[in-house]
Amino acid sequence: MSNKVEESSITIDSGIVECYYHFSVERIKAHYPNERLIFITDENVYKSHAEIFPVGDTIIFPAGEENKNLETVGRVIDELHEIDAGRNDRIIGVGGGVVTDLSGFVASIYLRGLKFSFAPTSVLAMVDAAIGGKNGVDSGQIKNQIGVIRQPDALFFDFTLLRSLPSEEWVSGFGEIIKHACIKDAEMFHYLENHRLEDLGNNPGAFARLVQKNVNIKLNVVAQDELETNARRILNFGHTLAHAIETLNKLPHGLAVSVGIVFACKVSERLTGFDPKKTEKIVDLLQQYHLPVSAGFDKEAAWNLVSFDKKKSGDSIYFVVLEDIGKGVIKKISLENLKDLFFEI
Amino acid sequence: MSNKVEESSITIDSGIVECYYHFSVERIKAHYPNERLIFITDENVYKSHAEIFPVGDTIIFPAGEENKNLETVGRVIDELHEIDAGRNDRIIGVGGGVVTDLSGFVASIYLRGLKFSFAPTSVLAMVDAAIGGKNGVDSGQIKNQIGVIRQPDALFFDFTLLRSLPSEEWVSGFGEIIKHACIKDAEMFHYLENHRLEDLGNNPGAFARLVQKNVNIKLNVVAQDELETNARRILNFGHTLAHAIETLNKLPHGLAVSVGIVFACKVSERLTGFDPKKTEKIVDLLQQYHLPVSAGFDKEAAWNLVSFDKKKSGDSIYFVVLEDIGKGVIKKISLENLKDLFFEI
């Protein structure tokens, strides 16, 4: 089926982010007729979709979170230098979250910053990773420890690329979609309850509308607080624990978020009196989308990672809880208090 | 002699930069009573001034431009992680241009940005490198190819640290001071003509006033155009050639700038009708401050570096020329035209 391109844009402190839905990667070149475009992607995306990349101006790096580090950044920059990339050229990051994180960071620091745009190719990147301008890489065990916040000029959503996405990655993307529903959109929560992943995956029109809704939820939060001094923290719902078990158990991000959401619901029950029946509804929805709701992990090791977590401030931590489905709130709680809950729940 | 602390501040798009003159590094701790400070310096500065650094929270990296690269950035970040540096801690870069460039970059990308301030310890860093927020590192042969623009919150000028500065570094600093005089301040040019480096070096009061003047010249230009889309390019006077011969001949920065200034004066004669007698006055002043006014270098290799220079845009280059002493202007000239002048002069 063919879908008309739909456009929208949002103004953020640092500039305007344009969104183009049903926009094929091959059309990006025509969208920037007067610019030299340099595509950055990883080996997996390139293997699946070699035909969408121009010859010569495509830089390919090894796939996987384990390559999202300063060493890969250095190698991509060497390649930019080799192909004589200049200050007026534009980077197009095409791939999942690792590609958009790394290519956005490279674009932010090469020659002190080139223009850049993204074409996310996974569900997770479409609804979360490619949005909001947090670009960066990992350092040792700590995810995203190195980076900057800088918005892409445009996001191009080419849903046809999802056809080759493994089913586990579909599931992972729904971890973030359900997170958005929990903190901001009770209506979307009910919509998800009434659908199945398999149906949405086979209905590009419905899926595109769902992505659009998620992009708008995230962009609206980011527009309120680009640098995460306050309101943006809401997006960390489920992430405090998720980052730790993602590292320890090598769980895909969305699956770790799912486990983290269940933990955060239980913390919500203690802190806001969140109804345990609603926790059950959330657990049911996560399972309906094939997401894990618990995981065996080393609690001591996880706590060490949680307490290093970069969102900590002094002896307390910002932790997102629910007051209701569709209504997340940010609480500052002491590390000690969180530690007690952590080992109790 | 003791001097009272003098303060000034300037507002730039991204924030306010405060300047404190006659401010000892040991006092910085008391200036930020409620913050954890982490000092970053290099081995040379640490060897000369170990007593000014607090034990525990000082990170020391190997000195020299050859270590200003992503690898050192990675190592400093590992050390920040080891000492558990958090999002609310402040980096204090204490050193010459390599230290302020690298520590400012680290501060800009670690945990997506910590607060940072500088205490420049060389003449060059005091009048140029520490000012303006261009933080970054080199990649291969290309200087400052990787970086961001982000302003320090404060600059602390501790002139007592200059006592141990080698005389070559004093000379190098005057390369940038004379550059400022050439493009912006005929009065300072005449002042410099009437003084000698040795006198200024032995007169902390007079030297401090000279530094202050240079800081204000540079900060005022930066405040007009922080991201160097236009007016800020004026500061590149003498630098197009300087960057190339600095790399090829391993010449200290200010000395390379001096040679570049003479080249730019000769280009000015062709492009603006700049009076050759004024070129002679500039040559005389540079020599009075023991700066080189010519250098033997591989012209082909230098041209290759010039034409890669990151200030290029399309087939033309922004090149700064003088209309008069104290009046620099930015010209866009074709690479071809510059190439002809380059091999002719």
Side-chain angles (χ1 to χ4, degrees):
Chain A
M1 68 180 281
S2 116
N3 285 280
K4 238 183 59 195
V5 171
E6 285 175 46
E7 300 181 20
S8 64
S9 72
I10 187 156
T11 302
I12 295 184
D13 282 0
S14 61
I16 292 168
V17 179
E18 293 179 332
C19 299
Y20 298 88
Y21 299 92
H22 304 292
F23 198 105
S24 73
V25 171
E26 291 96 323
R27 285 186 53 187
I28 295 175
K29 181 70 207 148
H31 188 74
Y32 298 114
N34 301 316
E35 296 181 38
R36 178 184 177 195
L37 306 185
I38 295 161
F39 288 75
I40 298 181
T41 191
D42 69 18
E43 282 171 357
N44 285 353
V45 174
Y46 191 78
K47 255 179 238 160
S48 303
H49 308 288
E51 72 287 355
I52 65 176
F53 295 97
V55 179
D57 284 349
T58 299
I59 295 174
I60 303 155
F61 67 86
E65 187 78 28
E66 67 275 20
N67 293 305
K68 202 179 95 174
N69 54 34
L70 271 189
E71 209 184 312
T72 305
V73 167
R75 275 199 238 127
V76 171
I77 284 176
D78 288 345
E79 287 201 49
L80 284 170
H81 181 205
E82 271 164 39
I83 62 172
D84 215 9
R87 197 171 269 199
N88 295 310
D89 300 339
R90 175 182 294 275
I91 302 286
I92 310 286
V94 181
V98 170
V99 171
T100 57
D101 280 7
L102 188 138
S103 63
F105 183 57
V106 165
S108 299
I109 65 172
Y110 179 70
L111 305 183
R112 295 199 190 92
L114 304 188
K115 293 163 285 186
F116 67 104
S117 307
F118 291 147
T121 64
S122 70
V123 177
L124 197 65
M126 286 186 180
V127 299
D128 186 34
I131 301 158
K134 281 192 181 175
N135 312 304
V137 296
D138 306 335
S139 162
Q141 277 221 312
I142 312 292
K143 270 179 63 89
N144 303 321
Q145 200 183 6
I146 301 172
V148 294
I149 295 185
R150 190 160 167 257
Q151 304 301 325
D153 295 320
L155 296 162
F156 300 99
F157 296 88
D158 182 347
F159 298 109
T160 64
L161 300 177
L162 293 176
R163 283 181 204 140
S164 61
L165 197 70
S167 66
E168 192 190 55
E169 290 207 40
W170 275 92
V171 170
S172 184
F174 275 81
E176 292 289 353
I177 291 173
I178 293 173
K179 179 199 79 179
H180 284 150
C182 287
I183 56 170
K184 284 287 177 191
D185 196 333
E187 204 184 299
M188 184 165 81
F189 192 92
H190 298 308
Y191 174 87
L192 291 168
E193 286 184 313
N194 294 324
H195 289 77
R196 296 186 322 135
L197 195 155
E198 294 70 14
D199 301 335
L200 289 166
N202 290 322
N203 183 341
F207 183 70
R209 284 190 295 278
L210 184 64
V211 168
Q212 231 167 323
K213 211 182 274 276
N214 279 274
V215 169
N216 290 337
I217 288 172
K218 179 154 185 187
L219 277 177
N220 281 320
V221 171
V222 171
Q224 279 173 58
D225 174 27
E226 184 175 13
L227 302 180
E228 194 170 313
T229 58
N230 193 7
R232 185 169 179 164
R233 292 198 178 101
I234 197 83
L235 298 170
N236 293 322
F237 180 62
H239 280 60
T240 306
L241 177 60
H243 283 156
I245 59 177
E246 185 174 353
T247 300
L248 293 173
N249 291 18
K250 309 278 171 232
L251 214 55
H253 182 66
L255 277 60
V257 168
S258 178
V259 177
I261 285 175
V262 178
F263 171 68
C265 286
K266 289 179 182 160
V267 174
S268 305
E269 292 174 14
R270 318 284 176 106
L271 296 184
T272 68
F274 183 64
D275 184 348
K277 287 201 187 103
K278 290 180 179 163
T279 298
E280 273 172 48
K281 276 166 79 87
I282 292 172
V283 166
D284 288 347
L285 185 66
L286 292 167
Q287 289 182 319
Q288 180 178 329
Y289 283 83
H290 315 302
L291 285 156
V293 294
S294 67
F297 57 89
D298 177 340
K299 274 209 158 185
E300 282 292 344
W303 177 254
N304 284 339
L305 288 169
V306 166
S307 58
F308 177 75
D309 188 285
K310 60 196 179 305
K311 282 173 285 295
K312 81 183 173 187
S313 89
D315 293 317
S316 53
I317 199 166
Y318 292 98
F319 194 89
V320 182
V321 290
L322 299 184
E323 285 183 350
D324 200 348
I325 288 174
K327 192 174 179 209
V329 290
I330 303 156
K331 293 266 183 210
K332 192 169 180 173
I333 63 174
S334 72
L335 268 185
E336 209 177 335
N337 194 350
L338 185 66
K339 189 175 182 179
D340 290 344
L341 289 167
F342 183 80
F343 284 95
E344 201 181 303
I345 285 172
Chain B
M1 69 179 280
S2 115
N3 286 280
K4 238 185 57 196
V5 172
E6 285 175 48
E7 300 181 19
S8 63
S9 72
I10 187 157
T11 303
I12 295 183
D13 282 359
S14 59
I16 291 168
V17 180
E18 294 180 329
C19 299
Y20 298 89
Y21 299 93
H22 305 293
F23 197 105
S24 73
V25 171
E26 292 97 323
R27 286 186 54 188
I28 295 175
K29 182 70 207 147
H31 188 74
Y32 298 113
N34 303 315
E35 295 180 39
R36 178 183 177 195
L37 307 185
I38 296 161
F39 289 75
I40 298 181
T41 191
D42 69 17
E43 282 171 355
N44 285 352
V45 174
Y46 191 78
K47 256 179 234 157
S48 303
H49 308 288
E51 72 286 356
I52 65 175
F53 294 97
V55 179
D57 283 348
T58 299
I59 295 173
I60 304 155
F61 67 87
E65 187 79 28
E66 67 275 20
N67 293 303
K68 203 180 95 174
N69 54 34
L70 271 190
E71 209 183 313
T72 305
V73 168
R75 275 199 237 125
V76 171
I77 285 175
D78 288 344
E79 288 202 48
L80 284 170
H81 181 204
E82 270 164 40
I83 63 172
D84 214 9
R87 197 171 269 200
N88 294 308
D89 300 340
R90 175 182 293 275
I91 301 287
I92 310 286
V94 181
V98 171
V99 172
T100 57
D101 280 7
L102 188 138
S103 62
F105 183 58
V106 165
S108 299
I109 64 172
Y110 178 70
L111 304 184
R112 295 199 190 94
L114 303 189
K115 292 164 286 187
F116 68 103
S117 306
F118 292 146
T121 64
S122 71
V123 177
L124 197 65
M126 285 185 180
V127 300
D128 186 34
I131 301 158
K134 280 191 182 175
N135 311 304
V137 295
D138 307 335
S139 162
Q141 277 221 313
I142 312 293
K143 269 178 64 87
N144 302 322
Q145 201 185 5
I146 300 172
V148 294
I149 295 185
R150 188 159 170 258
Q151 305 300 326
D153 295 320
L155 296 161
F156 300 99
F157 295 88
D158 182 348
F159 298 110
T160 65
L161 300 178
L162 294 175
R163 283 182 203 139
S164 61
L165 197 71
S167 66
E168 193 188 56
E169 290 206 41
W170 274 92
V171 171
S172 184
F174 275 81
E176 292 289 353
I177 291 173
I178 294 173
K179 179 199 80 179
H180 284 149
C182 287
I183 55 171
K184 283 286 176 188
D185 195 333
E187 202 184 300
M188 183 165 82
F189 192 92
H190 299 309
Y191 175 87
L192 291 168
E193 286 184 314
N194 294 325
H195 289 78
R196 296 186 321 135
L197 194 154
E198 294 71 13
D199 302 336
L200 290 167
N202 291 322
N203 183 342
F207 182 70
R209 284 190 294 278
L210 184 64
V211 168
Q212 234 167 320
K213 214 183 272 278
N214 279 274
V215 169
N216 290 337
I217 288 172
K218 179 153 184 188
L219 277 178
N220 281 319
V221 172
V222 172
Q224 281 172 59
D225 173 28
E226 185 176 12
L227 302 181
E228 194 170 314
T229 56
N230 193 8
R232 184 169 181 164
R233 294 198 176 100
I234 197 83
L235 298 170
N236 293 324
F237 179 61
H239 280 60
T240 306
L241 178 59
H243 282 155
I245 60 177
E246 186 175 353
T247 299
L248 292 174
N249 291 18
K250 308 280 170 229
L251 215 53
H253 181 68
L255 277 61
V257 167
S258 178
V259 177
I261 285 175
V262 178
F263 171 68
C265 286
K266 288 178 182 158
V267 174
S268 305
E269 292 173 14
R270 318 284 176 103
L271 295 185
T272 68
F274 183 63
D275 184 349
K277 288 201 186 107
K278 291 180 179 164
T279 298
E280 274 173 46
K281 276 166 79 90
I282 292 172
V283 166
D284 288 347
L285 185 66
L286 292 167
Q287 289 183 319
Q288 180 178 328
Y289 284 82
H290 314 301
L291 284 156
V293 294
S294 65
F297 57 90
D298 177 340
K299 276 210 159 186
E300 282 291 346
W303 177 254
N304 284 339
L305 287 170
V306 165
S307 57
F308 177 74
D309 188 286
K310 62 196 176 303
K311 282 173 286 293
K312 80 180 175 189
S313 89
D315 293 317
S316 53
I317 199 165
Y318 291 98
F319 194 90
V320 181
V321 290
L322 299 183
E323 285 183 352
D324 199 349
I325 287 174
K327 192 175 179 207
V329 290
I330 303 156
K331 292 265 183 211
K332 192 169 182 174
I333 63 176
S334 72
L335 267 185
E336 210 178 336
N337 194 351
L338 185 67
K339 188 175 184 179
D340 290 345
L341 290 167
F342 183 81
F343 284 95
E344 200 180 304
I345 286 172

